[in-house]
Amino acid sequence: MSYDLIVQTQLAGARHRVEALRRRLAAPGEGGALAEEAIEELLTTLEELSVTEEELRSQNESLAAAQLLLEEEHQRYADLFHLAPDPYLVTTPEGTIREANAAAALLFEVGERALAGKPLAVFMARDGVRAFRERLNRVPAEGRAADWEVVVARRDGSTVEVSCTVAAAQERGETVLRWS
């Protein structure tokens, strides 16, 4: 049960007990002892809420520390990805580049930022584009990593044969292709 639900339950219980005490106080002859009982009941409830609040505060601090650690790890991954000596790409299943590192940009002879959003097929040699797209359509269905040989067309008109591994993966609930 979440602490938020626990606090709501405790508050509802406290309201219920206060209403019961109010009804009893309204009855003739019950005043003094019942008032003392009501105060004790309220003090107990306040103490319970105080403990719950402290637990929530502690959990929030733990969550904040975990968030900071996660952000540091993400930055470390991003640094490793972008500075890796081998080309790495992340694409949609259709082959649209979502992320590329510096080595990939160097291979294609374009800036890193120029790769994002471009279809990977535009960087393939013209005579291999059809085969590239046909094979690309089968990758998510294969469900395993596959080794490919592709011919990349560079900006200067030259071509280079590249060996790569392509694997489908899940990121944030979406299928992506990882190229290395």
Side-chain angles (χ1 to χ4, degrees):
M1 183 183 291
S2 73
Y3 280 107
D4 193 36
L5 186 57
I6 290 170
V7 170
Q8 289 175 3
T9 302
Q10 287 178 341
L11 284 172
R15 285 186 191 107
H16 178 71
R17 289 189 302 268
V18 167
E19 283 302 316
L21 289 170
R22 180 182 291 152
R23 284 190 300 274
R24 286 179 61 199
L25 276 172
E30 296 260 348
L34 198 54
E36 190 62 37
E37 183 182 335
I39 291 170
E40 282 300 315
E41 193 66 38
L42 288 173
L43 289 174
T44 300
T45 301
L46 287 173
E47 182 61 31
E48 290 171 353
L49 289 174
S50 177
V51 168
T52 302
E53 177 190 26
E54 186 56 40
E55 289 173 355
L56 283 172
R57 185 174 299 127
S58 176
Q59 282 190 347
N60 278 341
E61 288 170 3
S62 295
L63 283 173
Q67 177 69 28
L68 182 61
L69 182 64
L70 183 63
E71 289 170 4
E72 289 171 356
E73 287 298 314
H74 181 268
Q75 186 59 50
R76 190 170 77 98
Y77 162 79
D79 291 345
L80 288 171
F81 178 86
H82 289 288
L83 299 175
D86 294 325
Y88 290 104
L89 297 165
V90 176
T91 70
T92 64
E94 298 77 30
T96 302
I97 299 170
R98 292 173 92 182
E99 194 174 0
N101 71 352
L106 187 63
L107 172 68
F108 299 130
E109 296 182 328
V110 297
E112 243 179 287
R113 294 177 193 252
L115 288 171
K118 299 250 185 338
L120 186 54
V122 302
F123 298 102
M124 299 298 126
R126 289 197 188 276
D127 58 351
V129 171
R130 172 179 247 141
F132 173 80
R133 286 193 174 140
E134 287 172 1
R135 190 161 185 198
L136 181 65
N137 288 333
R138 291 191 308 265
V139 172
E142 291 173 356
R144 57 181 166 65
D147 294 324
W148 287 22
E149 300 290 327
V150 295
V151 180
V152 173
R154 302 180 89 185
R155 290 180 98 187
D156 66 5
S158 66
T159 59
V160 61
E161 190 169 319
V162 176
S163 295
C164 60
T165 300
V166 183
Q170 290 293 312
E171 288 184 5
R172 295 180 214 106
E174 295 180 297
T175 300
V176 297
L177 301 183
R178 293 180 180 162
W179 302 75
S180 57

